[in-house]
């Protein structure tokens, strides 16, 4: 039985265990004078039975799925004659791929060596046996767990403590997985960054003003070592992000103030969903809009006033990106402003302040930390955007502060560096990890500085 079919079956068994334990708890409580004489409500006995049924079965299923492929591949490789055993992991992967193609029927067994066809038969048999054993073991564990919990329904057992302890452990495991995943990502990026700096000096990476990672395939070719100066990339990133924030912050913040404090309920119920629809538009659509409409308009307008503008410019990408992140600023700011207690508004108005004075002197200072958080989220969204920059600003790593020139960003270069036929351990590919690590550090420092500023200048109310 496939895993996709086992999962809903386990959930069905958990529901059945829940219902049986619930009925048994009420039946046990009846001779005692009702459920008030139980140590816990029937819900907790039923929930404990469902957890005992589902969690062990899901753990067995996850462990089986994690080790099944490796075990079967090892058995299939061992079934080959010793004279054709693979000598390297790459050769083993190639042989296994050929065996899998024969087993799936996408490759005719008549056109492959006899030992490959025999290994394909072994693979089919092992996969079939594995599916049967997996289904039997998972179902047996699920039924056994549910039956054990059903027998443990008794008035003297406090099922509530058991359920809450189990849920607390599940929450802890989920939180630990999130933390460990983050640590794993950072650790892997750090390792590849160290490998990169083993080939390119860190001083050249941080302080050079030339970025040309197109390393040659032969040592005698021109530019075989490439140039990995990160300054043009961060200049382009900051330029486009600054333009986007100059558009998004005033528009988003003022629209949030209007919708939360001045607009009628009818206008708010219509305008807020329409504004938030901007966040649901795919970034590639924004990229097309920037490349086909905004960028040509900016170029023609610049030529009319006697300025020289590129067909792909930082201004076009920044303007469209600013429109894209307006909902982030507006929605978060609106929620934060609405979270300010109504008593603060009423007190300010009762003291004779106007609505605008109340907004400036009372509501805005109270909502400032949340507003700063929304702006930081919008800034992170702008820094991490790739598609709009590729289509509207180009790939040229120019060191310029002119918004009418073509520039590129760190995220765009990370995407382009990992595409192509370059070797994975080349300096060109490894530079993508160095860029990611540097971007992570810069973003972290910006968040720390912003948090300190908010803590210093925010106003606290009892």
């Amino acid at each position: 039985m496939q895993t996709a079919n086992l999962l809903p079956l386990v959930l069905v068994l958990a529901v059945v265990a829940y219902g049986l334990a619930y009925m048994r708890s009420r039946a046990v409580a009846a001779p005692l004078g009702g459920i008030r004489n139980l140590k816990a409500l029937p819900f907790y006995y039923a929930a404990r039975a469902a957890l005992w049924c589902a969690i062990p079965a899901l753990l067995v299923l996850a462990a089986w799925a994690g080790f099944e492929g490796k075990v079967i591949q090892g058995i299939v490789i061992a079934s080959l004659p010793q004279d054709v055993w693979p000598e390297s992991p790459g050769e083993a992967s190639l042989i296994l791929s050929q065996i899998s193609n024969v087993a799936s029927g996408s490759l005719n067994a008549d056109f492959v060596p006899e030992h490959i066809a025999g290994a394909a038969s072994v693979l089919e048999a092992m996969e079939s046996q594995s599916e049967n054993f997996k289904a039997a073991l998972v179902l047996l564990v699920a039924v056994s767990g549910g039956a054990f919990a059903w027998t443990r329904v008794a008035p003297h057992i406090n099922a509530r403590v058991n359920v809450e302890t189990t849920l607390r452990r599940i929450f802890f495991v989920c939180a630990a997985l999130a933390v460990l995943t983050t640590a794993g990502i950072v650790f892997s990026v750090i390792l590849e960054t160290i490998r990169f700096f083993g080939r390119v000096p860190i001083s050249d990476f941080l302080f050079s003003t030339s970025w040309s990672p197109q390393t040659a395939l032969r040592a005698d070719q021109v530019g075989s070592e490439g140039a990995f100066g990160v300054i043009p990339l961060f200049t382009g990133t900051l330029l486009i992000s600054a333009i986007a924030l100059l558009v998004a912050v005033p528009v988003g913040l003022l629209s949030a103030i209007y919708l939360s404090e001045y607009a009628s309920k009818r206008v708010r119920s219509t305008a807020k969903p329409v504004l938030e629809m901007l966040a649901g538009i795919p970034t590639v659509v924004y990229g097309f809009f920037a490349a086909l409409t905004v960028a040509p308009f900016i170029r023609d307008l610049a030529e009319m006033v006697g300025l020289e503008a590129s067909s792909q410019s930082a201004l076009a990408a920044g303007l469209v990106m600013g429109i894209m992140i307006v909902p982030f600023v507006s929605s978060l700011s609106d929620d934060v402003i609405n979270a300010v207690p109504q008593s603060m508004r009423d007190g300010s108005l009762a003291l004779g302040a106007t609505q605008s004075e109340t907004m400036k002197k009372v509501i805005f200072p109270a909502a400032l930390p949340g507003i700063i958080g929304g702006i930081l989220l919008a800034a992170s969204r702008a820094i991490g955007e790739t598609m709009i920059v590729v289509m509207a600003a180009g790939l040229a790593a120019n060191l310029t502060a002119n918004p009418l020139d073509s520039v590129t960003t760190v995220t765009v270069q990370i995407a382009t560096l990992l595409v192509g036929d370059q070797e994975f351990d080349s300096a060109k590919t490894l530079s993508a990890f160095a860029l990611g690590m540097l971007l992570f550090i810069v973003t972290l420092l910006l968040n720390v500085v912003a948090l300190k500023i908010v803590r210093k200048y925010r106003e606290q109310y009892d």
Side-chain angles (χ1 to χ4, degrees):
M1 184 179 293
Q2 297 291 333
T3 302
N5 298 327
L6 276 176
L7 285 175
L9 186 57
V10 170
L11 295 178
V12 170
L13 290 176
V15 173
V16 172
Y18 180 94
L20 292 176
Y22 188 87
M23 289 187 294
R24 179 174 171 81
S25 64
R26 297 189 71 89
V28 169
L32 302 175
I35 61 175
R36 64 179 178 274
N37 294 315
L38 296 176
K39 284 284 187 178
L41 294 173
F43 162 78
Y44 290 104
Y45 292 100
R48 187 182 62 173
L51 292 174
W52 267 98
C53 178
I55 293 178
L58 293 178
L59 290 177
V60 171
L61 183 60
W64 195 288
F67 295 101
E68 177 185 20
K70 294 294 183 182
V71 173
I72 292 178
Q73 289 177 7
I75 295 174
V76 171
I77 291 295
S79 68
L80 295 172
Q82 291 188 1
D83 57 339
V84 295
W85 278 6
E87 299 179 355
S88 64
E91 186 179 353
S93 176
L94 183 61
I95 293 176
L96 287 171
S97 176
Q98 195 174 14
I99 294 173
S100 299
N101 290 333
V102 174
S104 63
S106 58
L107 182 62
N108 196 330
D110 298 333
F111 299 101
V112 297
E114 184 177 351
H115 64 273
I116 296 294
S121 301
V122 173
L123 177 62
E124 291 180 354
M126 292 300 301
E127 288 180 345
S128 176
Q129 293 178 8
S130 175
E131 293 293 336
N132 294 332
F133 284 133
K134 176 175 64 176
L137 181 60
V138 170
L139 295 179
L140 177 62
V141 170
V143 173
S144 301
F148 173 77
W150 184 82
T151 60
R152 296 286 293 172
V153 177
H156 65 280
I157 297 177
N158 193 341
R160 176 182 176 181
V161 175
N162 301 141
V163 171
E164 291 180 348
T165 302
T166 303
L167 292 179
R168 191 182 303 113
R169 291 173 179 172
I170 293 174
F171 297 155
F172 173 79
V173 170
C174 293
L177 284 176
V179 174
L180 292 177
T181 301
T182 304
I185 293 173
V186 174
F187 185 71
S188 62
V189 173
I190 289 175
L191 289 180
E192 300 301 330
T193 302
I194 293 174
R195 292 179 59 193
F196 171 74
F197 287 134
R199 303 187 180 197
V200 177
I202 189 172
S203 58
D204 293 347
F205 180 73
L206 294 178
F207 304 111
S208 177
T209 59
S210 176
W211 176 264
S212 180
Q214 302 301 325
T215 55
L217 298 178
R218 299 194 312 271
D220 59 344
Q221 286 182 289
V222 177
S224 60
E225 296 183 357
F228 297 92
V230 77
I231 292 180
L233 305 186
F234 266 93
T235 302
T237 301
L238 295 177
L239 178 60
I240 293 178
S241 300
I243 296 173
L245 291 177
L246 287 175
V247 174
V249 172
V251 175
L253 185 56
L254 293 178
S255 62
I257 292 173
Y258 171 74
L259 291 176
S260 61
E261 297 296 322
Y262 297 97
S264 62
K265 291 185 178 180
R266 180 177 181 181
V267 173
R268 176 182 170 83
S269 62
T270 303
K272 187 173 174 62
V274 172
L275 184 62
E276 292 180 348
M277 284 177 59
L278 291 174
I281 299 176
T283 55
V284 66
V285 176
Y286 282 109
F288 277 120
F289 175 67
L292 301 179
T293 305
V294 179
F297 173 77
I298 292 176
R299 181 192 58 204
D300 296 340
L301 184 62
E303 291 177 353
M304 289 176 57
V305 297
L307 298 176
E308 183 178 354
S310 174
S311 58
Q312 292 179 317
S313 63
L315 183 59
L319 290 176
V320 176
M321 194 183 300
I323 297 173
M324 181 192 68
I325 62 178
V326 162
F328 291 90
V329 180
S330 176
S331 180
L332 292 174
S333 300
D334 179 67
D335 294 338
V336 171
I337 292 173
N338 284 324
V340 176
Q342 183 63 34
S343 58
M344 297 179 64
R345 295 178 173 85
D346 297 338
S348 176
L349 295 174
L351 291 174
T354 63
Q355 191 172 8
S356 61
E357 290 174 339
T358 301
M359 184 66 214
K360 289 185 295 183
K361 300 294 181 63
V362 177
I363 300 175
F364 188 81
L368 182 60
I371 292 173
I372 297 297
I375 294 174
L376 288 177
L377 178 61
S380 300
R381 184 71 176 86
I383 292 174
E385 176 55 37
T386 302
M387 187 59 64
I388 295 176
V389 182
V390 170
M391 302 179 70
L395 301 174
N398 296 323
L399 181 57
T400 178
N402 185 1
L404 299 179
D405 288 340
S406 176
V407 296
T408 189
T409 63
V410 174
T411 54
V412 170
Q413 288 301 312
I414 291 175
T416 56
L417 288 170
L418 298 178
V419 175
D421 56 356
Q422 194 81 10
E423 295 181 1
F424 189 79
D425 59 349
S426 65
K428 172 187 175 182
T429 306
L430 293 176
S431 64
F433 296 95
L435 289 175
M437 193 65 213
L438 187 59
L439 187 62
F440 171 78
I441 293 174
V442 171
T443 305
L444 181 62
L445 292 177
L446 288 175
N447 288 336
V448 171
V449 172
L451 183 60
K452 289 185 177 296
I453 293 174
V454 170
R455 287 180 176 177
K456 182 177 180 180
Y457 293 104
R458 70 180 177 182
E459 297 189 23
Q460 298 181 351
Y461 299 91
D462 295 331

